Amino acid sequence: MTHFEDLYNRYAPQIFRVCLGYTNDADQAKDLVQETFISVWKNLDGFRNQAQVSTWIFRIATNHCLRAIEVAKRMPAAELPFDIAETVEESPEEKLAFLYRCIAELEETERIIISLELEGLPQAQIAEVVGLSSGNVRVKVHRVKEKLAQKFKAYGQFR
Amino acid sequence: MDNLDDLKAIWHTAKTDALPSSQEMLQMIRKFRGQKLRNKWLMIISSLSLSAFLVSALFTGHTEYISTYIGGLLMALSGVLIAATNARSLKRFYRLDDCSNLDFVAFIEITRQNQVYYYKKTMVVIVVLCLVGWMLYMYEPLVKHWLWMGGVYSAFLVYMAIMWFVVRPRSFKKDQDKLNTMRQRLENISNQLK
């Protein structure tokens, strides 16, 4: 049981940020963290160290994200309003909120890939989590980064 | 601000101190497991017990008609089918989540197809077995006590007709809408991973 607690203490904050990146909703992200660690607890005995434990946990978390239909329903169908630059200040909280809003406009898998990238996972590990080749992940990260940069420029944020 | 390191710096400012402690999480997990699995286990145990009871009643009771035996066995069989279907679903619940997003989307699609199969095939077989079994099983008491058993027999048939022709199509349509939404979403995510 100590092992579980170690894993929870180490990975829960990371998983929370990734889920928050996917959902843009703190309560929903907390629920997904809970579901993730229920799965971890359930399967910990069967985990045979074939993959890194972090890869295993991030796979579980991102699969729970993909399964969450309620999240899909709440995602914005339209782009951010163009006058947002006039209303957003540059405090750290609002920079973070703006980053989440930009990520929320991306497609599901792009949200997962950029969240893992921002969390600091190596691209080879992201590839293992998502199920794509490393080269494919590199291309996707580059594209998502471009998209985010465009959004930041379009809304005139944080210059 | 298009620098990835800047974005990472912003990303890591997210506050995570509202998360439950590991002890609180363990308490939640124990509670969740109890609730989620209880119904499935109850269904498996009760349907198997009922089947066992039916079979033992057949061979220890004083039945004269062959229709009673056939009916009892058919109902017991439907109970075993219910238990098997729930056990399969329980196995899926315990299944290791250790697969990539790409594999997971494929796995969810198979689960969705299994659900459709259950509605269209398994459920029909269970209900038909149970209904035909009940009608055959009750034929003996109907013949012996036709006056009041006739009422029970007819009322049950009317109830089953309403469930089958009114309630089931409505519930099926509602679930099918959900499954179609799920299918569209999975297709969309699969396309993103190509």
Side-chain angles (χ1 to χ4, degrees):
Chain A
M1 201 54 68
T2 313
H3 186 39
F4 175 84
E5 290 181 12
D6 290 344
L7 287 178
Y8 180 80
N9 291 331
R10 182 168 175 194
Y11 290 106
Q14 292 187 15
I15 298 297
F16 176 71
R17 283 193 292 267
V18 169
C19 294
L20 192 54
Y22 187 87
T23 60
N24 192 20
D25 180 291
D27 289 336
Q28 185 79 50
K30 269 171 79 177
D31 288 347
L32 286 169
V33 170
Q34 188 182 332
E35 284 173 28
T36 299
F37 281 94
I38 286 168
S39 294
V40 169
W41 193 82
K42 232 168 47 183
N43 297 309
L44 196 55
D45 291 339
F47 178 65
R48 290 187 293 263
N49 294 314
Q50 285 168 335
Q52 278 188 48
V53 72
S54 56
T55 306
W56 180 59
I57 293 178
F58 278 110
R59 275 177 168 181
I60 293 174
T62 51
N63 286 339
H64 276 294
C65 288
L66 287 176
R67 193 160 47 185
I69 296 173
E70 320 80 63
V71 178
K73 280 182 186 165
R74 285 190 307 93
M75 278 295 136
E79 296 283 299
L80 286 168
F82 279 99
D83 60 352
I84 194 164
E86 295 165 14
T87 58
V88 175
E89 296 298 322
E90 293 192 15
S91 71
E93 290 79 15
E94 284 174 340
K95 281 182 184 178
L96 183 65
F98 187 76
L99 175 62
Y100 282 136
R101 289 186 67 181
C102 288
I103 293 174
E105 289 183 0
L106 300 169
E107 289 182 329
E108 288 94 337
T109 51
E110 290 179 331
R111 268 183 262 155
I112 286 175
I113 289 171
I114 195 64
S115 297
L116 295 174
E117 173 74 21
L118 291 173
E119 197 47 54
L121 262 72
Q123 287 183 357
Q125 203 180 343
I126 298 176
E128 281 183 58
V129 170
V130 180
L132 296 174
S133 69
S134 294
N136 209 335
V137 166
R138 197 176 323 117
V139 172
K140 282 189 181 284
V141 167
H142 181 72
R143 282 189 195 151
V144 175
K145 202 183 129 191
E146 290 283 299
K147 279 187 186 179
L148 286 179
Q150 279 173 11
K151 287 178 194 296
F152 272 64
K153 278 177 189 158
Y155 303 130
Q157 293 299 298
F158 319 137
R159 287 177 186 168
Chain B
M1 194 48 65
D2 57 349
N3 187 320
L4 198 60
D5 289 334
D6 293 337
L7 295 182
K8 279 184 182 173
I10 298 174
W11 176 263
H12 282 95
T13 61
K15 290 187 173 60
T16 57
D17 43 6
L19 284 173
S21 70
S22 56
Q23 283 304 317
E24 288 167 334
M25 178 55 70
L26 279 170
Q27 280 173 359
M28 281 185 224
I29 287 170
R30 290 196 182 102
K31 196 176 162 196
F32 169 87
R33 276 175 68 83
Q35 285 171 349
K36 189 99 178 177
L37 299 183
R38 194 179 300 132
N39 289 347
K40 290 231 172 270
W41 277 112
L42 265 178
M43 183 62 89
I44 292 171
I45 292 166
S46 57
S47 53
L48 282 179
S49 310
L50 199 64
S51 295
F53 173 75
L54 268 169
V55 173
S56 61
L58 279 178
F59 292 100
T60 53
H62 305 286
T63 48
E64 296 165 13
Y65 289 30
I66 188 78
S67 61
T68 313
Y69 285 104
I70 297 171
L73 289 175
L74 287 179
M75 282 198 287
L77 187 61
S78 74
V80 172
L81 265 177
I82 291 172
T85 311
N86 276 279
R88 203 173 156 212
S89 146
L90 202 62
K91 195 178 156 197
R92 198 177 299 127
F93 183 81
Y94 278 119
R95 189 192 150 105
L96 193 71
D97 295 67
D98 187 16
C99 54
S100 69
N101 297 158
L102 195 62
D103 295 337
F104 183 73
V105 170
F107 168 71
I108 292 284
E109 171 58 15
I110 291 171
T111 307
R112 188 192 67 82
Q113 285 172 3
N114 285 347
Q115 276 177 297
V116 173
Y117 186 86
Y118 175 78
Y119 279 118
K120 290 191 173 169
K121 299 276 164 65
T122 317
M123 194 193 260
V124 175
V125 171
I126 289 172
V127 172
V128 167
L129 278 177
C130 194
L131 181 64
V132 173
W134 188 87
M135 287 167 73
L136 288 171
Y137 189 81
M138 296 303 281
Y139 179 71
E140 188 175 340
L142 179 70
V143 171
K144 289 178 179 170
H145 313 282
W146 63 270
L147 196 62
W148 66 275
M149 279 307 291
V152 174
Y153 209 82
S154 312
F156 183 73
L157 289 183
V158 169
Y159 169 76
M160 285 307 288
I162 292 170
M163 291 302 283
W164 190 255
F165 294 111
V166 181
V167 178
R168 184 178 172 271
R170 279 186 191 170
S171 144
F172 181 69
K173 192 184 174 306
K174 204 173 154 189
D175 289 339
Q176 204 172 31
D177 289 345
K178 267 192 218 165
L179 289 173
N180 282 337
T181 311
M182 170 79 94
R183 184 180 52 77
Q184 284 165 1
R185 228 186 121 232
L186 290 176
E187 273 177 12
N188 183 23
I189 294 172
S190 296
N191 288 335
Q192 291 169 28
L193 288 169
K194 279 177 186 165

